[in-house]
Amino acid sequence: MTLRKALLLSASLLGPSLALAAPTEKAKPLAGKTGAPHRANAHPAVAKPAPHKTVPQSVQARNTETIAVTARRTDLAFVAAQHLPDADTRLSAERLIQRGVVTLRGLERVAPNLTIQSVNGTASNNFYLRGVGFNDFTQNNIPTVMTYFDDVPFAFSTLSSGLMFDLADVTVAPGPVGTTHGQSDTGGEIRFRTADPTSTWHYGASQDIASYARSRSEAYISGPIAKGLDFRLAGQIRQGGGWQTDPQNGAHLGDADSYALRGKLRWHSDDNRTTILLSGHFVQDNSQVVTSQAVHRLIGSAALPHLGQQQAEWSMRPQFANLIGRPEGLKPSEHNQFWGWDLHMDHDFGVAKLTSVTAFETGRQGEYTDQDGTSRAEADTYRTISANAFTQELRLGSSNPDSRLQWVVGAFYQRSRMKQRFFFDYTDYAARGYMMATSFSMNQESTSEFGHVSYRLPHNVTLFAGLLHEIDDRSLPGLTSEIFGGKTTAFHGESTAAAQFAGQVGVSWQATKTTLVYYKMSKGFKPGGFSANNTQIQAQLDPFGPETVLTYEFGFKSDPIPNVLRLNGAAFYNDFHGQQVVGTVLIPNYGPLSEITNVPKSESWGFEGTVEFHPIRHVFVTQNIGWQRGNYQDFLNVNRAATNAAYAKTGVWRAVNSNFAGVDNGQPKLTLNGQAEWRQPLTSALGLDVGPDWSYRGSQAIAVGGTGFYRLPPYFLLGAHATLRPSSGKWEATIYASNLLNRSFFESGGMATTTYFYIPGPPRFIGGRISYGF
């Protein structure tokens, strides 16, 4: 079969769900095509540089119903994005499936300078991009790196748990954001675009079975209901996969138990100038969590357990189970329910396009963790969370992507509410010996106005600039700390407000047909908030202030040998004021506690790059590299290591303060990830793809200035896959392995009351996946 015939066949099978990029827009992926082959993508030759986009392309793509097929094949995806002045990492749905990225945390294995870590092994995550981020253990503050699903920002990142299925693509955007859409932030954003309804019938399913009885099942159906009205329904079920055991009794831990549904309904007018898209989703997650391994005893003399890579200890006293209203013998686990809806409305007036995005997200969580990492009840924790967020965005922007002048103006509103209650079992901690609970609420409201403009000058030079103004108001109306059988302490409410400008200015030059260089300066803004965990004194509720950063970035994108070699890279420098980090506060006669605080002055710098190489007919190689360094320039805080050491000698808590000026920020200096693949035709209708993938992550501090056990060790992981797929793209069958060398490593860490702990990463998994789609 000739290439042109294969492309025409693929287009006839996929219908309107396949929209191949024009010179000025990003290729729309094979919407919902389970296991769609990368080699089936095609793009026309780029005749001229694309203007700088100011309207999110995920919105532009929703109205695409035309099919443009050419015989010219490209083996390097996202060709049109090579003409956009950004350092974004764009990932197709196929690349994610191929690398086994099925959760948020997996993204750090396919993007440079990105770290996503679980909070104590749970479904809650902390994000770091270019080293910018912080450990928000209560998850009640705006994340440093914002997560979007279909243009909807998630104020509480946990609410996005379980939604990574039936995807179209993902974009990881580093650096300050907020002048073109959504919400301001200092670290960047991760934008997920899920597959949209199609106007012709499509359906598909996949089944993934792996070691430790892990099972992942997905299915979708998409098609027309009536003229101009289409729908899509997709679902996912995850079960099994638990790999931890308790050496004391052989109990098993870590099995997934969750399901999720997403439905979409799209209507468009006959002239395709008006589109309305209504989406809804539901997630139920009763999965067990990965439990910590204690690595150092801070308080007490009880020996720490000696554990193997796949072992852990935990406990649940019947008295604690009765207190929290959960069954006796409860294992560390989630009991979460999330649901939400969003409404997108677009209308093209001809001279401009108006977009409205309305969304509501809510969740209920019940989460049990054994944070001390032993069978003793020294820091057993159960928390309940009730949270919701309403967002509304309006933007008006250019409707002609070929115009020299591109512009967008808009406004964004967010209202969020949260209630949390932390239960602690300290019964076996001699200095306390009780159970207690901390309860608090949080109210938040913010508004912002933004605008962005770009103009393409002669000689392929484009100037662009953006401005944002944001007002954020949040309060903690009251917090109580109750010792059961003892006293209850009520703290008075706190509030904080901030109003800041953010912006961007830059220039790009399309030096040649295949080479773009750019320079931009961006100011980012992130509002302040509260540390609200384990509060003992009123001062702990003092709000921390806003974070601002001025980022200088120089980058380039180049396809020096089209369809053979791609080189993209960017260098950056961040100048922070009030950077938000987790510092330490010492409570007299109690001990050190973590507290989010502001660093008056700090800086970071580094680079990231991507090389895609197709040196010979069958070989395809992708390599991402991220490198960053940073230090505090002025930061007076409790020195946790010195304070702990002084307590070990004297038995008395006394704060040892240090100025951490010149101390490294503790983020991984080097991250590497990539893959190589050999694509071999077996017959005229069947091909085999086989190859390894790899990732490396440098050491990371879990406390300011941390050394020794205060740092997570570096690690290297190797994986591999082999995939059979027909030229039609209707099905594929894969065998794969992750952590092929069965390396012992740790993904995150922290401090409990009496111990420091690490969260271990998974051992070797070997599995198989089969999928079918039409």
Side-chain angles (χ1 to χ4, degrees):
M1 180 183 293
T2 66
L3 177 62
R4 181 175 180 83
K5 288 181 178 179
L7 290 170
L8 290 173
L9 176 59
S10 298
S12 67
L13 289 172
L14 294 173
S17 65
L18 174 60
L20 300 174
T24 58
E25 63 183 9
K26 183 177 76 175
K28 185 176 182 180
L30 303 176
K33 189 66 173 175
T34 303
H38 179 64
R39 60 169 55 91
N41 292 348
H43 304 270
V46 176
K48 61 181 180 180
H52 178 57
K53 294 291 187 300
T54 58
V55 177
Q57 295 176 31
S58 58
V59 175
Q60 297 177 15
R62 295 192 187 283
N63 295 328
T64 304
E65 288 294 338
T66 59
I67 304 174
V69 179
T70 77
R72 184 174 184 271
R73 169 192 168 188
T74 178
D75 293 305
L76 304 180
F78 303 106
V79 173
Q82 287 295 99
H83 303 278
L84 302 178
D86 59 44
D88 297 0
T89 299
R90 294 172 172 85
L91 301 162
S92 65
E94 184 206 5
R95 173 60 58 88
L96 297 175
I97 293 172
Q98 189 180 72
R99 292 293 302 274
V101 178
V102 295
T103 64
L104 282 169
R105 289 195 288 277
L107 286 173
E108 67 177 19
R109 294 188 282 107
V110 289
N113 273 332
L114 175 64
T115 298
I116 305 176
Q117 293 176 321
S118 164
V119 178
N120 300 332
T122 67
S124 301
N125 295 296
N126 290 311
F127 299 81
Y128 305 82
L129 191 50
R130 290 180 172 175
V132 185
F134 71 101
N135 179 15
D136 185 7
F137 35 83
T138 51
Q139 296 284 291
N140 63 305
N141 298 293
I142 296 294
T144 306
V145 180
M146 188 66 64
T147 303
Y148 287 77
F149 271 84
D150 294 329
D151 294 326
V152 176
F154 281 72
F156 309 119
S157 62
T158 307
L159 296 181
S160 64
S161 178
L163 296 181
M164 279 191 62
F165 64 97
D166 198 37
L167 296 177
D169 55 45
V170 179
T171 299
V172 179
V177 292
T179 61
T180 63
H181 67 278
Q183 195 161 5
S184 174
D185 221 332
T186 52
E189 59 191 26
I190 303 175
R191 301 190 297 269
F192 295 86
R193 190 163 64 92
T194 62
D196 278 340
T198 54
S199 57
T200 56
W201 284 101
H202 300 279
Y203 59 86
S206 67
Q207 178 63 54
D208 186 322
I209 298 175
S211 308
Y212 306 98
R214 188 180 71 186
S215 172
R216 296 168 177 159
S217 308
E218 293 187 21
Y220 74 91
I221 184 169
S222 178
I225 297 176
K227 182 180 179 181
L229 184 63
D230 312 316
F231 85 102
R232 187 180 191 93
L233 184 64
Q236 179 192 71
I237 298 175
R238 300 177 60 200
Q239 294 181 317
W243 47 268
Q244 286 188 308
T245 57
D246 190 331
Q248 300 177 110
N249 51 29
H252 178 80
L253 181 66
D255 282 339
D257 180 13
S258 69
Y259 68 89
L261 292 171
R262 180 187 297 117
K264 290 188 173 185
L265 191 64
R266 181 180 64 186
W267 174 86
H268 61 84
S269 60
D270 291 340
D271 58 5
N272 282 327
R273 299 184 67 170
T274 302
T275 301
I276 299 176
L277 178 63
L278 177 64
S279 302
H281 60 264
F282 179 87
V283 177
Q284 180 69 51
D285 187 0
N286 297 319
S287 302
Q288 297 167 5
V289 303
V290 177
T291 289
S292 61
Q293 292 184 346
V295 296
H296 176 77
R297 177 164 289 285
L298 174 63
I299 298 173
S301 58
L304 294 179
H306 295 283
L307 302 173
Q309 175 189 359
Q310 296 174 228
Q311 293 180 324
E313 288 188 6
W314 65 89
S315 62
M316 166 60 79
R317 296 191 319 111
Q319 297 89 335
F320 192 52
N322 292 334
L323 175 66
I324 64 177
R326 298 299 305 276
E328 294 184 13
L330 178 69
K331 296 181 179 181
S333 58
E334 306 279 1
H335 184 54
N336 305 339
Q337 189 176 93
F338 309 115
W339 63 270
W341 57 265
D342 53 89
L343 178 66
H344 292 69
M345 296 185 289
D346 300 314
H347 181 75
D348 193 338
F349 294 98
V351 295
K353 182 160 63 175
L354 178 66
T355 297
S356 170
V357 182
T358 309
F360 179 79
E361 301 291 336
T362 188
R364 304 290 185 271
Q365 290 180 255
E367 187 175 80
Y368 167 55
T369 55
D370 192 316
Q371 295 182 20
D372 55 83
T374 73
S375 59
R376 295 166 58 85
E378 297 178 337
D380 297 357
T381 305
Y382 184 78
R383 71 168 175 174
T384 61
I385 304 175
S386 174
N388 65 76
F390 171 82
T391 58
Q392 173 63 60
E393 181 172 350
L394 284 173
R395 55 177 176 256
L396 183 68
S398 306
S399 60
N400 180 8
D402 295 319
S403 172
R404 287 182 177 271
L405 177 66
Q406 297 289 305
W407 59 273
V408 63
V409 294
F412 176 83
Y413 171 78
Q414 176 176 277
R415 177 188 182 275
S416 64
R417 298 290 185 264
M418 172 181 279
K419 292 183 178 180
Q420 289 200 36
R421 194 175 191 195
F422 280 81
F423 295 87
F424 302 94
D425 189 354
Y426 296 134
T427 302
D428 292 334
Y429 173 23
R432 300 183 191 174
Y434 51 72
M435 298 184 292
M436 66 170 293
T438 297
S439 306
F440 70 90
S441 300
M442 192 197 71
N443 301 323
Q444 179 268 343
E445 195 167 16
S446 65
T447 58
S448 61
E449 308 82 37
F450 57 84
H452 199 282
V453 62
S454 69
Y455 187 77
R456 190 171 71 249
L457 300 170
H459 307 293
N460 295 326
V461 174
T462 299
L463 302 177
F464 55 92
L467 185 66
L468 164 110
H469 179 259
E470 181 173 319
I471 299 174
D472 183 89
D473 191 354
R474 60 187 61 220
S475 64
L476 223 63
L479 184 147
T480 61
S481 181
E482 177 183 4
I483 296 177
F484 296 99
K487 69 174 183 177
T488 297
T489 304
F491 300 88
H492 65 73
E494 295 281 359
S495 63
T496 182
Q500 286 271 2
F501 283 94
Q504 183 183 95
V505 61
V507 58
S508 67
W509 176 39
Q510 192 72 45
T512 69
K513 182 179 179 181
T514 59
T515 302
L516 173 82
V517 294
Y518 69 89
Y519 173 78
K520 62 183 177 182
M521 295 183 296
S522 307
K523 181 190 176 185
F525 163 71
K526 179 180 180 295
F530 303 94
S531 303
N533 180 32
N534 202 359
T535 301
Q536 301 300 314
I537 59 175
Q538 183 68 44
Q540 287 180 263
L541 293 182
D542 291 344
F544 57 88
E547 172 182 285
T548 62
V549 61
L550 186 60
T551 298
Y552 305 86
E553 181 177 318
F554 172 80
F556 68 92
K557 294 182 175 182
S558 177
D559 289 343
I561 310 176
N563 232 17
V564 173
L565 176 64
R566 172 173 293 172
L567 301 172
N568 291 348
F572 61 88
Y573 174 81
N574 293 320
D575 182 12
F576 290 99
H577 291 269
Q579 183 177 8
Q580 298 166 1
V581 303
V582 176
T584 300
V585 60
L586 182 69
I587 309 300
N589 302 317
Y590 194 88
L593 292 175
S594 296
E595 182 178 70
I596 303 171
T597 187
N598 294 97
V599 178
K601 190 73 170 65
S602 56
E603 62 181 349
S604 66
W605 61 93
F607 66 86
E608 61 245 346
T610 298
V611 178
E612 295 185 69
F613 193 32
H614 176 28
I616 59 177
R617 179 183 177 188
H618 300 291
V619 175
F620 299 82
V621 180
T622 299
Q623 177 64 61
N624 293 319
I625 179 172
W627 181 86
Q628 73 87 32
R629 294 292 300 272
N631 58 62
Y632 307 117
Q633 296 170 292
D634 178 21
F635 184 26
L636 182 64
N637 197 242
V638 173
N639 187 321
R640 178 165 289 196
T643 300
N644 290 342
Y647 175 81
K649 291 182 178 180
T650 66
V652 177
W653 286 118
R654 180 179 60 85
V656 179
N657 295 301
S658 298
N659 193 327
F660 289 90
V663 174
D664 185 86
N665 65 9
Q667 292 300 306
K669 294 178 176 60
L670 180 64
T671 59
L672 299 169
N673 56 71
Q675 69 174 49
E677 191 170 57
W678 181 279
R679 301 178 184 175
Q680 177 66 50
L682 300 178
T683 68
S684 60
L686 187 65
L688 174 68
D689 301 343
V690 59
D693 59 76
W694 54 86
S695 63
Y696 170 83
R697 183 159 303 276
S699 174
Q700 180 181 356
I702 61 175
V704 174
T707 60
F709 65 82
Y710 294 98
R711 297 190 71 92
L712 293 172
Y715 62 85
F716 172 80
L717 301 178
L718 183 67
H721 77 279
T723 299
L724 278 174
R725 64 176 96 216
S727 57
S728 68
K730 286 186 176 182
W731 60 269
E732 69 175 35
T734 299
I735 57 173
Y736 64 87
S738 60
N739 192 4
L740 187 60
L741 303 178
N742 203 29
R743 303 286 294 272
S744 176
F745 69 104
F746 301 99
E747 294 187 318
S748 62
M751 173 199 173
T753 306
T754 58
T755 64
Y756 278 84
F757 62 83
Y758 293 161
I759 301 296
R764 180 194 297 122
F765 271 80
I766 297 176
R769 180 178 59 250
I770 187 167
S771 61
Y772 178 84
F774 174 77

